[in-house]
PDB file of all heavy atoms in Angstrom:
ATOM      1  N   GLN A 568      14.206  -1.667   1.831  1.00 77.00           N
ATOM      2  CA  GLN A 568      13.838  -2.941   2.437  1.00 77.00           C
ATOM      3  C   GLN A 568      14.058  -2.955   3.944  1.00 77.00           C
ATOM      4  O   GLN A 568      13.579  -3.869   4.622  1.00 77.00           O
ATOM      5  CB  GLN A 568      14.634  -4.071   1.777  1.00 77.00           C
ATOM      6  CG  GLN A 568      14.297  -4.257   0.300  1.00 77.00           C
ATOM      7  CD  GLN A 568      15.118  -5.370  -0.317  1.00 77.00           C
ATOM      8  OE1 GLN A 568      16.337  -5.254  -0.434  1.00 77.00           O
ATOM      9  NE2 GLN A 568      14.463  -6.443  -0.690  1.00 77.00           N
ATOM     10  N   ALA A 569      14.757  -1.983   4.467  1.00 77.00           N
ATOM     11  CA  ALA A 569      14.979  -1.897   5.911  1.00 77.00           C
ATOM     12  C   ALA A 569      13.918  -1.049   6.604  1.00 77.00           C
ATOM     13  O   ALA A 569      13.986  -0.842   7.819  1.00 77.00           O
ATOM     14  CB  ALA A 569      16.367  -1.324   6.197  1.00 77.00           C
ATOM     15  N   MET A 570      12.946  -0.566   5.859  1.00 80.00           N
ATOM     16  CA  MET A 570      11.859   0.209   6.450  1.00 80.00           C
ATOM     17  C   MET A 570      10.815  -0.744   7.032  1.00 80.00           C
ATOM     18  O   MET A 570      10.265  -1.585   6.326  1.00 80.00           O
ATOM     19  CB  MET A 570      11.209   1.102   5.390  1.00 80.00           C
ATOM     20  CG  MET A 570      12.143   2.097   4.727  1.00 80.00           C
ATOM     21  SD  MET A 570      12.677   3.403   5.851  1.00 80.00           S
ATOM     22  CE  MET A 570      11.168   4.372   5.981  1.00 80.00           C
ATOM     23  N   THR A 571      10.569  -0.617   8.325  1.00 86.00           N
ATOM     24  CA  THR A 571       9.567  -1.463   8.985  1.00 86.00           C
ATOM     25  C   THR A 571       8.541  -0.584   9.690  1.00 86.00           C
ATOM     26  O   THR A 571       8.800   0.581   9.991  1.00 86.00           O
ATOM     27  CB  THR A 571      10.223  -2.422   9.996  1.00 86.00           C
ATOM     28  OG1 THR A 571      10.910  -1.655  10.991  1.00 86.00           O
ATOM     29  CG2 THR A 571      11.202  -3.364   9.310  1.00 86.00           C
ATOM     30  N   PHE A 572       7.385  -1.157   9.958  1.00 90.00           N
ATOM     31  CA  PHE A 572       6.316  -0.397  10.594  1.00 90.00           C
ATOM     32  C   PHE A 572       6.560  -0.267  12.092  1.00 90.00           C
ATOM     33  O   PHE A 572       7.140  -1.150  12.735  1.00 90.00           O
ATOM     34  CB  PHE A 572       4.965  -1.086  10.360  1.00 90.00           C
ATOM     35  CG  PHE A 572       4.506  -1.019   8.936  1.00 90.00           C
ATOM     36  CD1 PHE A 572       4.580  -2.135   8.117  1.00 90.00           C
ATOM     37  CD2 PHE A 572       4.018   0.175   8.415  1.00 90.00           C
ATOM     38  CE1 PHE A 572       4.161  -2.067   6.806  1.00 90.00           C
ATOM     39  CE2 PHE A 572       3.593   0.248   7.098  1.00 90.00           C
ATOM     40  CZ  PHE A 572       3.668  -0.873   6.286  1.00 90.00           C
ATOM     41  N   GLU A 573       6.100   0.844  12.639  1.00 89.00           N
ATOM     42  CA  GLU A 573       6.178   1.037  14.085  1.00 89.00           C
ATOM     43  C   GLU A 573       5.422  -0.095  14.785  1.00 89.00           C
ATOM     44  O   GLU A 573       4.380  -0.547  14.320  1.00 89.00           O
ATOM     45  CB  GLU A 573       5.571   2.388  14.468  1.00 89.00           C
ATOM     46  CG  GLU A 573       4.140   2.575  13.999  1.00 89.00           C
ATOM     47  CD  GLU A 573       3.590   3.940  14.356  1.00 89.00           C
ATOM     48  OE1 GLU A 573       4.119   4.565  15.299  1.00 89.00           O
ATOM     49  OE2 GLU A 573       2.613   4.368  13.715  1.00 89.00           O
ATOM     50  N   HIS A 574       5.983  -0.550  15.881  1.00 89.00           N
ATOM     51  CA  HIS A 574       5.384  -1.620  16.695  1.00 89.00           C
ATOM     52  C   HIS A 574       5.271  -2.942  15.930  1.00 89.00           C
ATOM     53  O   HIS A 574       4.472  -3.794  16.308  1.00 89.00           O
ATOM     54  CB  HIS A 574       4.008  -1.207  17.222  1.00 89.00           C
ATOM     55  CG  HIS A 574       3.969   0.118  17.887  1.00 89.00           C
ATOM     56  ND1 HIS A 574       4.792   0.444  18.946  1.00 89.00           N
ATOM     57  CD2 HIS A 574       3.217   1.221  17.627  1.00 89.00           C
ATOM     58  CE1 HIS A 574       4.545   1.698  19.324  1.00 89.00           C
ATOM     59  NE2 HIS A 574       3.597   2.197  18.541  1.00 89.00           N
ATOM     60  N   SER A 575       6.058  -3.100  14.878  1.00 93.00           N
ATOM     61  CA  SER A 575       6.034  -4.369  14.137  1.00 93.00           C
ATOM     62  C   SER A 575       7.164  -5.266  14.630  1.00 93.00           C
ATOM     63  O   SER A 575       8.097  -4.821  15.302  1.00 93.00           O
ATOM     64  CB  SER A 575       6.173  -4.132  12.637  1.00 93.00           C
ATOM     65  OG  SER A 575       7.469  -3.635  12.336  1.00 93.00           O
ATOM     66  N   ILE A 576       7.071  -6.536  14.267  1.00 93.00           N
ATOM     67  CA  ILE A 576       8.120  -7.505  14.580  1.00 93.00           C
ATOM     68  C   ILE A 576       8.773  -7.903  13.264  1.00 93.00           C
ATOM     69  O   ILE A 576       8.089  -8.317  12.320  1.00 93.00           O
ATOM     70  CB  ILE A 576       7.532  -8.747  15.278  1.00 93.00           C
ATOM     71  CG1 ILE A 576       6.922  -8.341  16.626  1.00 93.00           C
ATOM     72  CG2 ILE A 576       8.582  -9.830  15.458  1.00 93.00           C
ATOM     73  CD1 ILE A 576       6.123  -9.444  17.281  1.00 93.00           C
ATOM     74  N   ALA A 577      10.066  -7.740  13.180  1.00 91.00           N
ATOM     75  CA  ALA A 577      10.789  -8.111  11.963  1.00 91.00           C
ATOM     76  C   ALA A 577      10.997  -9.622  11.927  1.00 91.00           C
ATOM     77  O   ALA A 577      11.347 -10.244  12.935  1.00 91.00           O
ATOM     78  CB  ALA A 577      12.123  -7.390  11.903  1.00 91.00           C
ATOM     79  N   ILE A 578      10.769 -10.198  10.755  1.00 93.00           N
ATOM     80  CA  ILE A 578      10.992 -11.633  10.564  1.00 93.00           C
ATOM     81  C   ILE A 578      12.340 -11.796   9.871  1.00 93.00           C
ATOM     82  O   ILE A 578      12.524 -11.304   8.753  1.00 93.00           O
ATOM     83  CB  ILE A 578       9.891 -12.260   9.691  1.00 93.00           C
ATOM     84  CG1 ILE A 578       8.505 -11.961  10.269  1.00 93.00           C
ATOM     85  CG2 ILE A 578      10.113 -13.756   9.557  1.00 93.00           C
ATOM     86  CD1 ILE A 578       7.366 -12.394   9.360  1.00 93.00           C
ATOM     87  N   PRO A 579      13.286 -12.482  10.484  1.00 87.00           N
ATOM     88  CA  PRO A 579      14.612 -12.627   9.868  1.00 87.00           C
ATOM     89  C   PRO A 579      14.532 -13.356   8.529  1.00 87.00           C
ATOM     90  O   PRO A 579      13.738 -14.275   8.347  1.00 87.00           O
ATOM     91  CB  PRO A 579      15.387 -13.463  10.891  1.00 87.00           C
ATOM     92  CG  PRO A 579      14.615 -13.354  12.170  1.00 87.00           C
ATOM     93  CD  PRO A 579      13.189 -13.146  11.790  1.00 87.00           C
ATOM     94  N   ASN A 580      15.359 -12.920   7.581  1.00 87.00           N
ATOM     95  CA  ASN A 580      15.482 -13.564   6.281  1.00 87.00           C
ATOM     96  C   ASN A 580      16.910 -14.065   6.146  1.00 87.00           C
ATOM     97  O   ASN A 580      17.802 -13.319   5.748  1.00 87.00           O
ATOM     98  CB  ASN A 580      15.150 -12.580   5.157  1.00 87.00           C
ATOM     99  CG  ASN A 580      15.150 -13.222   3.782  1.00 87.00           C
ATOM    100  OD1 ASN A 580      15.620 -14.339   3.617  1.00 87.00           O
ATOM    101  ND2 ASN A 580      14.637 -12.516   2.799  1.00 87.00           N
ATOM    102  N   PRO A 581      17.162 -15.327   6.464  1.00 86.00           N
ATOM    103  CA  PRO A 581      18.546 -15.820   6.492  1.00 86.00           C
ATOM    104  C   PRO A 581      19.175 -16.013   5.124  1.00 86.00           C
ATOM    105  O   PRO A 581      20.396 -16.179   5.026  1.00 86.00           O
ATOM    106  CB  PRO A 581      18.416 -17.166   7.225  1.00 86.00           C
ATOM    107  CG  PRO A 581      17.007 -17.599   6.963  1.00 86.00           C
ATOM    108  CD  PRO A 581      16.193 -16.342   6.893  1.00 86.00           C
ATOM    109  N   ILE A 582      18.375 -16.007   4.055  1.00 86.00           N
ATOM    110  CA  ILE A 582      18.949 -16.301   2.736  1.00 86.00           C
ATOM    111  C   ILE A 582      18.645 -15.205   1.704  1.00 86.00           C
ATOM    112  O   ILE A 582      18.873 -15.406   0.516  1.00 86.00           O
ATOM    113  CB  ILE A 582      18.456 -17.658   2.202  1.00 86.00           C
ATOM    114  CG1 ILE A 582      16.924 -17.692   2.104  1.00 86.00           C
ATOM    115  CG2 ILE A 582      18.969 -18.793   3.063  1.00 86.00           C
ATOM    116  CD1 ILE A 582      16.402 -18.936   1.404  1.00 86.00           C
ATOM    117  N   GLY A 583      18.136 -14.052   2.137  1.00 79.00           N
ATOM    118  CA  GLY A 583      17.818 -12.987   1.193  1.00 79.00           C
ATOM    119  C   GLY A 583      17.962 -11.633   1.847  1.00 79.00           C
ATOM    120  O   GLY A 583      18.456 -11.508   2.972  1.00 79.00           O
ATOM    121  N   THR A 584      17.520 -10.592   1.144  1.00 80.00           N
ATOM    122  CA  THR A 584      17.665  -9.231   1.659  1.00 80.00           C
ATOM    123  C   THR A 584      16.403  -8.719   2.341  1.00 80.00           C
ATOM    124  O   THR A 584      16.471  -8.086   3.380  1.00 80.00           O
ATOM    125  CB  THR A 584      18.042  -8.271   0.517  1.00 80.00           C
ATOM    126  OG1 THR A 584      17.044  -8.342  -0.503  1.00 80.00           O
ATOM    127  CG2 THR A 584      19.401  -8.625  -0.065  1.00 80.00           C
ATOM    128  N   ALA A 585      15.238  -8.995   1.748  1.00 77.00           N
ATOM    129  CA  ALA A 585      14.005  -8.421   2.282  1.00 77.00           C
ATOM    130  C   ALA A 585      13.563  -9.161   3.536  1.00 77.00           C
ATOM    131  O   ALA A 585      13.284 -10.357   3.484  1.00 77.00           O
ATOM    132  CB  ALA A 585      12.895  -8.476   1.230  1.00 77.00           C
TER     133      ALA A 585
END
Side-chain angles (χ1 to χ4, degrees):
Q568 295 179 294
M570 301 291 287
T571 60
F572 291 105
E573 56 182 338
H574 310 305
S575 68
I576 297 171
I578 306 172
N580 185 347
I582 58 172
T584 57

